[in-house]
Amino acid sequence: MGTKEDNLRIGSEADLEISLGMRSKIRAHVRLRRARVNEVGFEIVNPDLESRYRLRRVRVESMSRASQTKEQQQWSGERKV
């Protein structure tokens, strides 16, 4: 998710750069999608091979951490407010 400037419309294309630390960046061409009011989602349409590799690695690590955290937590069934 992200925020957009007024001159960008839903369906517009843009260049995206995500910093993953001091030296690592993911660069991609994206298409803006509607998410919520004043928020946009984006579809990555043309990453270079190095950025695709970095993005895949970040996603796998994130999923691994999420599953480990989920296994450690005990849910009582009560809704948290």
Side-chain angles (χ1 to χ4, degrees), residues 3-4 7 13 17 25 31 36 39 42 49-50 55 58 64 69 81:
T3 58
K4 68 179 183 70
N7 59 350
E13 294 184 4
E17 186 174 291
K25 293 181 182 177
R31 184 165 302 199
R36 296 183 193 132
E39 290 184 349
F42 50 87
L49 289 177
E50 185 67 25
L55 182 60
V58 168
S64 175
T69 303
V81 180

Side-chain angles (χ1 to χ4, degrees), residues 17-27 50-51 54:
E17 186 174 291
I18 302 171
S19 296
L20 298 175
M22 295 296 285
R23 297 183 190 133
S24 186
K25 293 181 182 177
I26 295 174
R27 292 184 180 97
E50 185 67 25
S51 292
R54 288 180 183 146

Side-chain angles (χ1 to χ4, degrees), residues 8-70:
L8 293 175
R9 303 282 180 233
I10 301 303
S12 298
E13 294 184 4
D15 291 317
L16 177 72
E17 186 174 291
I18 302 171
S19 296
L20 298 175
M22 295 296 285
R23 297 183 190 133
S24 186
K25 293 181 182 177
I26 295 174
R27 292 184 180 97
H29 195 72
V30 298
R31 184 165 302 199
L32 302 179
R33 300 286 184 209
R34 184 176 308 280
R36 296 183 193 132
V37 176
N38 295 330
E39 290 184 349
V40 295
F42 50 87
E43 173 186 355
I44 297 175
V45 293
N46 193 16
D48 59 33
L49 289 177
E50 185 67 25
S51 292
R52 185 181 297 199
Y53 166 76
R54 288 180 183 146
L55 182 60
R56 184 174 288 139
R57 190 175 65 195
V58 168
R59 291 179 63 202
V60 168
E61 289 172 2
S62 175
M63 290 171 56
S64 175
R65 281 192 302 259
S67 65
Q68 290 172 358
T69 303
K70 191 174 185 178

